[in-house]
Amino acid sequence: MYFSVLGPLAARTAAGHEVEIPEAKVRDLLAALLVHAGRTVAADRLVDELWGDRLPGNPAGALQTKVSRLRSALARAEPGAGTLVEWRPPGYLLRIDPGDVDSGRFTDLTATAYRAADPRVRSDLLTEALALWKGEAFADLGDMEVLRTAAGRLAEQRLTALEALAETRLELGEHRTLLGELSELVARHPLRERLRAVQLRALYRAGRQSDALAAYTELRSRLAEELGVSPGPELAALHQAILTHDAALESGPRKGRRGDLATPLTALIGRKEAVPEIGDLLTTHRLVTLTGLGGVGKTRLAEEAARQAAGRYADGVRMVGLAGSTEVGEQLSAALGIREESPAGLADALRSRRLLLLLDNCEHVIDAAAEVVRRILAAAPGLSVLATSREPLGLAGEAVWSVPPLAQPDAERLFAVRAAAAAPGFVVTGHNAEAVATICRRLDRIPLALELAATRVRALGVHELAARLDDRFRLLAGGHRGVPPRHRTLRAVIDWSWDLLGDDERTLLRRLAIFTDGCTLEAAEAVCGGDQDVLDPLVRLVDRSVVTVADGLRYRLPESISAYALERLAEAGEAEVLQQRHYDYHTELAERAAARLHGPDQRHWLTRLDHESANLRTALEGAVRRKDGAGALRLVLASTWYWFLRGRLTEALRSLEEALRVSDDTHHALRSQAVLWQAGFALLAGKGGDGQVHAPEVTEAGAAGRARAEWFLGYASLKAGEDLVRSETLVDRALTGFRAAGDRWGIAVAQSTRAVQALLRGDLAALKWRAEEGHALLEELGDRWGQLQTTYPLAALAEITGDYARAAQLHEDGLHLAEDLGFWAEAADRISGLGRVALLAGDFPRAADLHRKAMALASEHGYAAGEIHAEIGLALGARREGDFDLAEQHLRRTLAWHREVDFSPGPALLLTELGFLAEQRGDASAALALHRQGLAVAGDGGDPRAVALAQEGLAGAYALAGQPVRAARLLGAAARGRSACGAPLPEAERGDVDRITARVLAALGEQKFAAEFSAGVGDGP
């Protein structure tokens, strides 16, 4: 699929057919993804870009809806195209190559053109590139900041290409045909000096010296009036040359040259997008600084970017590597061959040059380098500077481009190429791919570290190399000759950065290593502060590229830096103290979060704990290692509800087991709770026994915590399909404890659980009051997870009583809650619920669509029960539409699943549905057998509604078999059973009963039917 943004947004299939993207917000979403094509865009960032300050009520759900519609539009146009929009945490990406977008094609063509020595080839490439434009970029889209920025950048690239094409055509002698086109272009952009220079040259060559001089005078006046400046030195020199009829004007403008850039020995790997991005910055900024960690590849990337940009600079590119303590100005003068005739010699010498100066390795002379760059940029308007440094120069107008580590696939490719060079014959295979991936991840995907590691493959192989990375500094102690000493070993790379730090920066850096997967500023101050300020040295560490910032101001150390800093922490004798501070902070954080996970800030605290998961594990490991039983139990009990909400059952079980192992009976109150939570998690994970847990009794002080643990075990027993009576007993006991302790959240969730249990018992009166009490309390408390639980039994009750509008609303409410919380399994169930309501309302196409969506969502998130629930809905719809074969396929598959997992409530409905199918096909024998099985299963389950449905089905089978009397009696028994439990059959669900009743009436007549209907004689299995 091919996308166009250089004009109105458009998408076309491989066959050239235009793709219809029907909705404005969906088009905006596609455009935002195209701006970042091939890169992941965080979901939060997409929400900000699409809606700004006018957020929808459920931003996450609204974004997913737009993504779904975009996928559908692409898939309708071309099979499989919907998968181009891919979820990749923390957001979405459009999985395409740069050449699949006209803007990417434009960038590739212009970059190739700027490198071309032949002016005819250059002209053809630039003409082809400019022909891609069909109007202003993103012309027909909403007013989005990201699109305005991208459109401005592309417009500048277009103008640069137009100027380059004009210069090239002038070089080819096309000055006469060029003049007419230049007049229009100059009128639109009257202050662009490069464009004016081409116009003056063309006028002069066409014999129009006076027009050329008049054009210069007009430009000089406009610059003075509008900007208060004079023409630049190159244009002034051109004006003088026209006045004196300089013979050089008859030849073309000076072509850009690469200067002293060395030809690289190896290809640049993994920076395909970075090079043009830096090139774009150089078109809009005169100072661009590449920052990043030592060894990340700043110099190599800068060289390639400069090499590709060389065609834009008449005097080419010059590279100067700053070294030693020599004054920066002296180094520049020496490298550029400039004599120091006066104090301003360097600035004067550069004043008239159109040059790109590549300044490498500025960090160790940062202040001096910044001052020299400031001075020469002010003096030389045709000069641009591309600098590399571990921190920005800090000058006004500086564009900072932070060089990231390689993407994982690119890191693996670089390692494979370098390893093959070091160990001929080496290739990545299925046998060693995981080891290669591990090496790249653990070395932070830093190119220099990977290249050092690749030299060890010949001696160690990749598996042994991966296994020895805990000793990385000794392992990677020898590198290539011909590189600076600071790049020869991994330790030397980091030593170089360490030596540039101040004392307070070194202290903070070694202390930050105590964190796993980063920390917030609050955590850094709590754990690393006390005897020194944290904020100021932290900012400087970020500026020096030693600490990285991501995920909303979260501070991280790359693994190699962390390993180095941990050594320094041990040398300073601070490790034990910092470990205790780390435990104290994160345990208090977990306890603070636990109290807020039951209220309106639930989502915020879930996200907060998501970010701290690794630190929480490290804190627990430390407590276990110190055999701090009370501390370990305290931390795991504070984390249980988080683990449950996030579905981390295995982590919960392992952590509870470790905490129980290092604790003893002196911690009996905490142990009692932990034992109950462990049993509940075991049931949910499918590893439980019979649910009989004997936890020690606790004092009144621990009663509230124990009540919550007992409720959780009862809830888990219900979800796992264990003994219903046992589940009811546990929840009732917990409810008593909650009421005694005044625990309103506990009362609410216990009532919610009891409501579901009442639904399974067919006790609709209990279902109603318990669910309503629980829902009201949870709404008051603001617990969205709890509200999500209570909407289910309330929606089921509304559906049973025929109030389909309320059932739909409750399912909608539940869906919004589930999407907002990111509970996609719950979301799938709510979509299935909406499908059931649509089915009962007779909207079969909508019902099928909803059930298919629910199946897809459940499958995407590994929720097998949700897939089955949705497929049952498809079966019900297929039978009601008369597609008996399709209905049977669905029913047989779902029945087999229920029997395999031994989930008791489901088979009664499925057997009855299969019985109805057999009856409608006219197979009385099969119908009788199936309905008898269904009635037996329903009787064991104890739900009077399930029994009534089986009786109605059996009545149909008997009517078909020529036994209308038994059929009438079964219909009567079913009706009385439904009435007794408060759930008479709603009108929309009477299709099967009405069909069967009509057959029995035709056989018996009304009087006989009425008598038998009232007789009340049932039928056993």
Side-chain angles (χ1 to χ4, degrees), residues 926-939:
L928 282 168
L930 288 163
H931 282 307
R932 283 173 175 156
Q933 290 180 59
L935 183 57
V937 174

Side-chain angles (χ1 to χ4, degrees), residues 758-792:
L759 175 63
L760 295 176
R761 293 289 190 193
D763 187 349
L764 302 187
L767 184 162
K768 185 175 187 299
W769 76 265
R770 288 184 184 278
E772 287 178 348
E773 180 185 357
H775 191 70
L777 276 172
L778 289 162
E779 277 193 324
E780 190 178 330
L781 293 168
D783 183 345
R784 298 170 73 77
W785 175 85
Q787 294 171 54
L788 179 59
Q789 304 311 301
T790 54
T791 57
Y792 167 68

Side-chain angles (χ1 to χ4, degrees), residues 441-785:
R441 278 195 301 270
R442 295 206 57 200
L443 292 177
D444 307 304
R445 308 185 310 282
I446 301 295
L448 178 60
L450 297 176
E451 297 199 359
L452 289 171
T455 66
R456 297 292 184 261
V457 170
R458 183 177 181 183
L460 297 175
V462 291
H463 290 95
E464 186 65 19
L465 178 60
R468 290 177 174 265
L469 283 178
D470 285 340
D471 190 18
R472 66 188 63 200
F473 297 117
R474 190 162 64 89
L475 183 67
L476 307 182
H480 297 289
R481 298 183 181 89
V483 298
R486 68 179 185 275
H487 283 174
R488 289 180 186 167
T489 71
L490 183 60
R491 182 177 293 280
V493 172
I494 304 176
D495 279 340
W496 171 263
S497 295
W498 178 267
D499 291 341
L500 293 173
L501 301 179
D503 289 342
D504 59 343
E505 294 165 341
R506 293 177 186 176
T507 299
L508 179 58
L509 180 60
R510 69 175 181 250
R511 291 177 179 179
L512 287 172
I514 203 69
F515 293 100
T516 308
D517 197 30
C519 65
T520 62
L521 176 59
E522 174 194 291
E525 289 178 326
V527 176
C528 303
D531 57 346
Q532 73 163 52
D533 177 54
V534 167
L535 180 59
D536 188 53
L538 180 60
V539 170
R540 295 199 302 273
L541 288 173
V542 171
D543 286 342
R544 293 175 186 272
S545 305
V546 179
V547 173
T548 62
V549 187
D551 297 338
L553 296 182
R554 188 166 184 82
Y555 302 91
R556 287 191 174 89
L557 301 185
E559 186 175 336
S560 294
I561 294 282
S562 181
Y564 181 94
L566 281 172
E567 290 184 2
R568 297 288 188 167
L569 185 68
E571 290 172 6
E574 295 181 327
E576 188 173 333
V577 172
L578 266 291
Q579 286 167 2
Q580 187 62 50
R581 285 190 201 170
H582 180 274
Y583 165 83
D584 291 341
Y585 173 81
H586 287 97
T587 299
E588 289 167 8
L589 175 69
E591 290 175 336
R592 191 165 17 125
R596 291 164 173 78
L597 286 177
H598 304 304
D601 295 331
Q602 186 177 73
R603 184 178 182 184
H604 166 76
W605 283 97
L606 282 172
T607 302
R608 179 80 182 271
L609 292 179
D610 286 344
H611 289 149
E612 299 299 343
S613 286
N615 278 312
L616 291 169
R617 282 193 291 271
T618 298
L620 177 59
E621 288 166 3
V624 170
R625 188 170 55 251
R626 295 189 300 271
K627 299 193 182 305
D628 179 3
L633 286 170
R634 182 182 157 200
L635 180 52
V636 295
L637 289 173
S639 304
T640 49
W641 195 239
Y642 166 70
W643 288 327
F644 169 71
L645 290 178
R646 283 304 192 224
R648 297 182 182 173
L649 308 182
T650 302
E651 181 178 358
L653 279 170
R654 183 186 66 251
S655 300
L656 284 159
E657 180 182 345
E658 290 174 354
L660 286 167
R661 177 169 51 80
V662 297
S663 64
D664 54 38
D665 290 340
T666 60
H667 314 122
H668 66 278
L670 297 177
R671 281 184 62 85
S672 173
Q673 296 175 44
V675 167
L676 293 166
W677 281 100
Q678 183 185 41
F681 279 115
L683 285 172
L684 292 175
K687 300 176 182 179
D690 60 4
Q692 302 295 322
V693 178
H694 302 287
E697 294 298 328
V698 297
T699 63
E700 186 175 340
R706 182 184 173 96
R708 290 197 176 190
E710 282 184 326
W711 163 78
F712 180 72
L713 180 55
Y715 169 86
S717 298
L718 176 66
K719 294 291 283 186
E722 296 291 324
D723 183 1
L724 184 57
V725 174
R726 173 68 174 161
S727 173
E728 290 168 330
T729 300
L730 284 163
V731 176
D732 279 339
R733 187 189 303 160
L735 184 55
T736 300
F738 290 142
R739 293 197 189 280
D743 185 344
R744 298 170 72 238
W745 182 85
I747 293 169
V749 294
Q751 288 291 54
S752 170
T753 308
R754 290 296 280 121
V756 176
Q757 292 164 340
L759 175 63
L760 295 176
R761 293 289 190 193
D763 187 349
L764 302 187
L767 184 162
K768 185 175 187 299
W769 76 265
R770 288 184 184 278
E772 287 178 348
E773 180 185 357
H775 191 70
L777 276 172
L778 289 162
E779 277 193 324
E780 190 178 330
L781 293 168
D783 183 345
R784 298 170 73 77
W785 175 85

Side-chain angles (χ1 to χ4, degrees), residues 245-550:
H245 296 274
D246 191 330
L249 290 174
E250 297 302 327
S251 61
R254 291 173 294 170
K255 296 193 311 183
R257 56 192 178 86
R258 293 181 183 177
D260 57 358
L261 288 178
T263 301
L265 296 177
T266 57
L268 181 66
I269 293 176
R271 303 297 189 188
K272 185 176 182 182
E273 296 170 352
V275 172
E277 284 184 18
I278 296 165
D280 291 347
L281 286 176
L282 286 169
T283 65
T284 55
H285 296 78
R286 293 179 59 217
L287 171 59
V288 177
T289 303
L290 306 190
T291 64
L293 188 66
V296 80
K298 300 183 293 294
T299 300
R300 183 70 178 84
L301 177 57
E303 288 176 337
E304 188 62 30
R307 186 173 288 106
Q308 296 206 14
R312 306 177 199 169
Y313 300 91
D315 292 304
V317 179
R318 297 299 298 271
M319 180 174 179
V320 180
L322 300 179
S325 57
T326 306
E327 204 274 328
V328 172
E330 292 178 22
Q331 294 188 57
L332 282 177
S333 296
L336 297 174
I338 296 171
R339 293 175 60 84
E340 298 182 48
E341 303 290 354
S342 68
L346 177 62
D348 286 342
L350 294 174
R351 193 176 303 278
S352 62
R353 296 197 192 183
R354 284 193 59 221
L355 174 73
L356 175 61
L357 179 62
L358 200 170
L359 277 183
D360 189 35
N361 191 32
C362 295
E363 61 268 8
H364 69 297
V365 287
I366 191 71
D367 293 331
E371 176 56 27
V372 170
V373 168
R374 184 196 63 75
R375 194 167 68 244
I376 62 177
L377 284 176
L383 176 70
S384 293
V385 174
L386 176 60
T388 73
S389 176
R390 299 191 189 184
E391 60 181 299
L393 298 186
L395 297 177
E398 177 184 28
V400 178
W401 202 92
S402 181
V403 181
L406 293 172
Q408 181 70 16
D410 292 328
E412 293 175 18
R413 187 156 60 95
L414 174 65
F415 179 84
V417 170
R418 300 295 187 261
F426 173 81
V427 293
V428 178
T429 66
H431 174 66
N432 63 20
E434 184 55 39
V436 170
T438 297
I439 291 167
C440 295
R441 278 195 301 270
R442 295 206 57 200
L443 292 177
D444 307 304
R445 308 185 310 282
I446 301 295
L448 178 60
L450 297 176
E451 297 199 359
L452 289 171
T455 66
R456 297 292 184 261
V457 170
R458 183 177 181 183
L460 297 175
V462 291
H463 290 95
E464 186 65 19
L465 178 60
R468 290 177 174 265
L469 283 178
D470 285 340
D471 190 18
R472 66 188 63 200
F473 297 117
R474 190 162 64 89
L475 183 67
L476 307 182
H480 297 289
R481 298 183 181 89
V483 298
R486 68 179 185 275
H487 283 174
R488 289 180 186 167
T489 71
L490 183 60
R491 182 177 293 280
V493 172
I494 304 176
D495 279 340
W496 171 263
S497 295
W498 178 267
D499 291 341
L500 293 173
L501 301 179
D503 289 342
D504 59 343
E505 294 165 341
R506 293 177 186 176
T507 299
L508 179 58
L509 180 60
R510 69 175 181 250
R511 291 177 179 179
L512 287 172
I514 203 69
F515 293 100
T516 308
D517 197 30
C519 65
T520 62
L521 176 59
E522 174 194 291
E525 289 178 326
V527 176
C528 303
D531 57 346
Q532 73 163 52
D533 177 54
V534 167
L535 180 59
D536 188 53
L538 180 60
V539 170
R540 295 199 302 273
L541 288 173
V542 171
D543 286 342
R544 293 175 186 272
S545 305
V546 179
V547 173
T548 62
V549 187

